[in-house]
């Protein structure tokens, strides 16, 4: 009976396999479609007015991904992701359902392409099984659940499409389509270069006739991408917002073994996965450096052992296929080895590319199991084992979806399994501040600061003190935040500008706001604060001018506007204090 079922599966047509992938993808991830915007979604989508119209597409190629009130900024160059956000927003507005839907469809499409790619090495049932593991593995689930991971979904979709076309089509002309897909992958995220590298490896090993042609064509979009990125955000990729950023190369390399160990252990036992990790091990230790290194070397030794057995017991073709996927798996880890510091130590979605290589190696081993392993597990037992593993992965992946139901659920989960996640503590504290629970927020903010001080958590500390009426402490916190310029945003300066109404001298306060406006000339809150400051100091004409400027960039309260125009006193509230203007 099992054999009959396997025979039928091995006669699957491509559309039937795609249908199975589609159905399973929606079964596992349908719940995510109703999750809200979280985290970076605000600055990249909801509050990013440039993304709200596709007519701004030119700007997406000359700036970063975050909106600071005037333009796109940051060190991340993701024009295809920003363009995708803009298309979705232009069609459907600020509804997270459609962003999640597009992302899920991209992942399902990528899984189908992986299946088609695997079909050149494995029988349909094995290719389908391996592809489904890629789809449902909890380590990859973040690529579906987190909207900021749209970049990973896009880079992988166009990259694997390029690899499939490279294998499927044999003409030199077809390389134009391959290069076009690889170019889109690059403009989604710089890790698209991994697919370029694997395309070169494939051609060098199996199709040398097209190697030089591909190299000549590919150089043009790579140079174009490089030039555009350098102009838009610069060549540095260091966001300066994680503890590992502050380490020297040697210390980062001491952390690398634990990164590889994380991927190995979570691949085998994908439990208690947080969305981001920030640990660092800058000094040698047995627990955090030596033990992970031994585990990594054992995994490497296993790969070498299998490769030796393959060349001894099987054909050169099987050996070459195994090496190809081993190379795929290894090269996918290079960008995340912290040779160049990244915005966190580890994220589960970072293994998405490498997992294809791991699954490819597993496929070769399964194909040659009788030659490599003397133990022959009966098919009913092996089928039940595979089914049990897949069901377990499905349950865990579905459960992970509940983490993204709200910012609180996500970041509470993160601090439970990622103790060094200073960003999660900062967000939880910020949410409590917004809920007028400053006293409850303070422990989260101080915990975040103790792990890794940034402009963001100092700004939150300032907000806590402002709400408590401790304006001198708030000003000190805001000034501390300004010291971390790389992670500061315009809201930091507007929060500090609010304090000019209750602390400091008029001349210095005005100079601060005017200087800040030179960087953020279209900022509504800064113009409003300047208007209030001028009115408070009986400079009515200057106040009228500033309030008119503010009205260009936001909605001014009718009470405030009329009071300034008529030059009559009014009262505003700052923290617990009533301020007469």
């Amino acid at each position: 009976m099992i054999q009959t079922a396997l025979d039928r599966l091995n006669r699957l047509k491509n559309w039937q396999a795609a249908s199975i992938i589609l159905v399973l993808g929606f079964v596992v991830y349908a719940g995510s479609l109703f999750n809200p915007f979280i985290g970076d979604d605000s600055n990249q989508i909801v509050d990013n007015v440039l993304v709200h119209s596709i007519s701004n597409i030119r700007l997406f190629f000359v700036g970063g991904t975050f909106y600071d009130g005037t333009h796109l900024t940051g060190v991340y160059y993701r024009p295809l992701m920003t363009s995708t956000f803009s298309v979705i927003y232009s069609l459907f507005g600020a509804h997270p359902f459609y962003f999640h839907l597009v992302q899920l469809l991209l992942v399902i499409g990528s899984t189908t392409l992986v299946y088609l790619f695997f079909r050149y090495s494995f029988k349909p049932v094995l290719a389908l099984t391996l592809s489904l593991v890629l789809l449902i593995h909890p380590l990859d689930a973040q690529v579906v659940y987190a909207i900021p991971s749209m970049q990973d979904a896009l880079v992988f979709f166009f990259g694997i499409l390029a690899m499939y076309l490279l294998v499927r089509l044999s003409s030199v002309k077809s390389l134009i389509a391959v290069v076009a897909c690889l170019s889109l992958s690059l403009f989604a995220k710089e890790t698209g270069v991994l697919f370029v590298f694997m395309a070169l490896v494939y051609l060098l090993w199996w199709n040398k006739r097209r190697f030089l042609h591909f190299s000549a064509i590919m150089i043009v979009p790579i140079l174009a991408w490089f030039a555009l990125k350098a102009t838009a955000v610069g060549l540095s990729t260091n966001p300066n917002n994680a503890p590992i950023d502050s380490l020297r190369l040697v210390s980062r390399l001491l952390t690398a073994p634990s990164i590889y160990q994380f991927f190995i252990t979570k691949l085998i036992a994908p439990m208690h996965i947080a969305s981001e990790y920030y640990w660092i091990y800058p000094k040698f230790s047995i627990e955090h450096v030596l033990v992970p290194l031994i585990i990594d070397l054992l995994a490497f030794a296993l790969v070498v052992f299998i490769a030796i057995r393959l060349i001894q017991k099987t054909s050169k073709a099987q050996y070459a296929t195994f090496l190809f996927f081993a190379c795929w798996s290894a090269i996918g880890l290079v960008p995340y080895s912290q040779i160049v510091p990244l915005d966190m130590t580890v994220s589960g979605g970072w293994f998405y590319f490498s997992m294809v290589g791991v699954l490819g190696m597993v496929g070769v081993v399964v194909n040659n199991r009788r030659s490599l392993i003397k133990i022959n597990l009966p098919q009913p037992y092996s089928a039940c084992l595979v089914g049990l593993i897949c069901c377990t992965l499905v349950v865990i992946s579905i459960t992970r979806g509940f983490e993204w139901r709200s910012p609180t659920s996500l970041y509470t989960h993160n601090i439970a399994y990622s103790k060094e996640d200073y960003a999660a503590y900062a967000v939880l504290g910020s949410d409590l501040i917004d809920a007028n629970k400053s006293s409850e927020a303070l422990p989260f903010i101080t915990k975040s600061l103790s792990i890794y001080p940034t402009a963001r958590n100092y700004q939150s500390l300032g907000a806590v003190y402002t709400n408590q009426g401790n304006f001198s402490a708030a000003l000190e916190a805001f000034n501390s935040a300004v010291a971390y310029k790389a992670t500061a945003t315009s809201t930091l300066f507007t929060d500090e500008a609010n304090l000019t109404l209750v602390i400091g001298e008029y001349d210095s306060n005005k100079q601060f706001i005017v200087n800040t406006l030179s960087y953020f000339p279209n900022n509504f809150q800064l113009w409003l604060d300047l208007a209030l400051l001028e009115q408070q100091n009986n400079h009515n004409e200057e106040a009228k001018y500033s309030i008119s400027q503010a009205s260009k960039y936001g909605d001014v309260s009718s009470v405030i506007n009329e009071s300034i125009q008529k030059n009559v006193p009014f009262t505003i509230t700052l923290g617990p204090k009533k301020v007469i203007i």
Side-chain angles (χ1 to χ4, degrees), residues 248-295:
R248 294 184 176 182
L249 177 60
V250 173
S251 297
R252 295 200 303 273
L253 293 180
L254 285 174
T255 304
S258 62
I259 295 173
Y260 305 144
Q261 181 205 8
F262 170 85
F263 290 132
I264 293 169
T265 54
K266 295 304 182 184
L267 176 67
I268 299 171
M271 300 292 290
H272 306 314
I273 302 174
S275 63
E276 49 197 43
Y277 296 83
Y278 293 90
W279 76 74
I280 53 173
Y281 303 125
K283 297 181 180 179
F284 179 83
S285 69
I286 294 176
E287 180 183 1
H288 298 306
V289 179
L290 182 59
V291 172
L293 182 60
I294 291 173
I295 293 173

Side-chain angles (χ1 to χ4, degrees), residues 276-426:
E276 49 197 43
Y277 296 83
Y278 293 90
W279 76 74
I280 53 173
Y281 303 125
K283 297 181 180 179
F284 179 83
S285 69
I286 294 176
E287 180 183 1
H288 298 306
V289 179
L290 182 59
V291 172
L293 182 60
I294 291 173
I295 293 173
D296 299 339
L297 291 175
L298 287 174
F300 178 75
L302 177 61
V303 173
V304 173
F305 172 75
I306 294 172
I308 293 173
R309 293 285 292 176
L310 282 169
I311 200 169
Q312 290 175 342
K313 300 290 185 179
T314 64
S315 65
K316 289 183 178 180
Q318 291 296 302
Y319 171 71
T321 301
F322 182 84
L323 284 188
F324 175 79
F325 285 118
C327 180
W328 185 305
S329 180
I331 197 63
L333 295 177
V334 172
Y336 307 115
S337 301
Q338 299 298 343
I339 297 171
V340 175
L342 303 174
D343 54 356
M344 62 189 75
T345 305
V346 170
S347 175
W350 289 356
F351 199 67
Y352 193 34
F353 179 93
S354 288
M355 190 173 287
V356 175
V358 172
L359 292 171
M361 288 190 288
V362 170
V364 175
V365 171
V366 172
N367 262 354
N368 299 276
R369 60 190 181 280
R370 290 185 177 85
S371 301
L372 299 174
I373 307 171
K374 298 301 181 183
I375 300 175
N376 187 19
L377 191 67
Q379 283 187 343
Y381 293 104
S382 59
C384 289
L385 178 61
V386 171
L388 179 62
I389 292 173
C390 288
C391 288
T392 303
L393 295 178
V394 165
V395 171
I396 298 173
S397 288
I398 291 175
T399 303
R400 284 208 70 191
F402 292 99
E403 298 168 23
W404 276 269
R405 287 296 171 90
S406 70
T408 302
S409 61
L410 176 62
Y411 296 116
T412 300
H413 175 88
N414 276 7
I415 62 176
Y417 300 109
S418 177
K419 303 297 184 182
E420 306 85 358
D421 192 350
Y422 80 94
Y425 285 105

Side-chain angles (χ1 to χ4, degrees), residues 446-512:
T446 53
K447 177 66 174 179
S448 177
L449 282 164
S450 69
I451 298 172
Y452 187 66
T454 65
R456 182 177 185 178
N457 44 30
Y458 266 121
Q459 183 180 357
S460 295
L461 182 64
V464 169
Y465 288 140
T466 299
N467 291 343
Q468 294 177 345
N470 190 348
F471 299 123
S472 59
L475 182 60
E476 183 180 349
F478 290 141
N479 286 334
S480 296
V482 172
Y484 298 88
K485 294 180 181 179
T487 55
T489 63
S490 61
T491 59
L492 167 61
F493 299 98
T494 57
D495 285 349
E496 185 167 351
N498 290 337
L499 295 182
T500 60
L501 302 176
V502 292
I503 192 171
E505 300 296 329
Y506 164 75
D507 289 336
S508 59
N509 285 342
K510 179 177 179 178
Q511 191 61 47
F512 169 76

Side-chain angles (χ1 to χ4, degrees), residues 37-352:
F37 289 121
I38 294 177
D40 287 345
D41 298 341
S42 294
N43 287 335
Q44 293 190 144
I45 302 171
V46 180
D47 299 327
N48 187 346
V49 297
L50 298 179
V51 162
H52 298 173
S53 173
I54 194 61
S55 63
N56 296 318
I57 189 169
R58 183 190 66 82
L59 300 177
F60 307 153
F61 287 82
V62 295
T65 62
F66 294 100
Y67 184 64
D68 67 357
T70 56
H71 57 274
L72 293 173
T73 186
V75 299
Y76 307 115
Y77 189 60
R78 313 281 192 265
L80 183 60
M81 180 187 74
T82 310
S83 299
T84 302
F85 287 159
S86 185
V87 170
I88 299 171
Y89 194 100
S90 298
L91 292 173
F92 305 108
H95 300 290
F97 174 89
Y98 298 101
F99 291 84
H100 287 300
L101 178 61
V102 170
Q103 199 158 332
L104 175 55
L105 291 174
L106 282 169
V107 170
I108 289 173
S110 296
T111 306
T112 304
L113 290 167
V114 169
Y115 165 77
L116 295 174
F117 185 72
F118 278 162
R119 279 288 290 110
Y120 287 91
S121 301
F122 313 121
K123 291 182 179 180
V125 66
L126 179 56
L128 180 60
T129 301
L130 295 172
S131 302
L132 292 178
V133 171
L134 178 71
L135 175 67
I136 64 177
H137 199 285
L139 203 55
D140 300 329
Q142 188 168 328
V143 179
V144 180
Y145 289 132
I147 292 177
S149 293
M150 180 75 79
Q151 57 188 353
D152 300 296
L154 287 166
V155 71
F156 192 90
F157 176 81
F158 288 107
I160 196 63
L161 176 59
M163 293 302 298
Y164 170 67
L165 293 175
L166 191 65
V167 176
R168 176 70 178 82
L169 306 174
S170 58
S171 68
V172 173
K173 288 183 178 181
S174 66
L175 293 176
I176 296 175
V178 174
V179 169
C181 291
L182 290 174
S183 301
L184 290 171
S185 184
L186 265 175
F187 280 101
K189 189 179 180 181
E190 55 270 359
T191 49
V193 74
L194 299 177
F195 286 103
V196 176
F197 182 85
M198 291 314 302
L200 289 169
V201 171
Y202 171 81
L203 292 171
L204 190 62
W205 286 7
W206 287 302
N207 199 329
K208 293 181 181 178
R209 180 179 64 88
R210 293 194 294 169
F211 180 84
L212 292 178
H213 292 92
F214 172 80
S215 301
I217 300 172
M218 192 70 227
I219 195 67
V220 175
I222 287 180
L223 291 176
W225 170 83
F226 188 84
L228 286 169
K229 181 182 185 299
T231 303
V233 300
L235 297 179
S236 173
T237 58
N238 189 344
N240 295 298
N241 63 355
I244 202 160
D245 293 338
S246 60
L247 299 182
R248 294 184 176 182
L249 177 60
V250 173
S251 297
R252 295 200 303 273
L253 293 180
L254 285 174
T255 304
S258 62
I259 295 173
Y260 305 144
Q261 181 205 8
F262 170 85
F263 290 132
I264 293 169
T265 54
K266 295 304 182 184
L267 176 67
I268 299 171
M271 300 292 290
H272 306 314
I273 302 174
S275 63
E276 49 197 43
Y277 296 83
Y278 293 90
W279 76 74
I280 53 173
Y281 303 125
K283 297 181 180 179
F284 179 83
S285 69
I286 294 176
E287 180 183 1
H288 298 306
V289 179
L290 182 59
V291 172
L293 182 60
I294 291 173
I295 293 173
D296 299 339
L297 291 175
L298 287 174
F300 178 75
L302 177 61
V303 173
V304 173
F305 172 75
I306 294 172
I308 293 173
R309 293 285 292 176
L310 282 169
I311 200 169
Q312 290 175 342
K313 300 290 185 179
T314 64
S315 65
K316 289 183 178 180
Q318 291 296 302
Y319 171 71
T321 301
F322 182 84
L323 284 188
F324 175 79
F325 285 118
C327 180
W328 185 305
S329 180
I331 197 63
L333 295 177
V334 172
Y336 307 115
S337 301
Q338 299 298 343
I339 297 171
V340 175
L342 303 174
D343 54 356
M344 62 189 75
T345 305
V346 170
S347 175
W350 289 356
F351 199 67
Y352 193 34

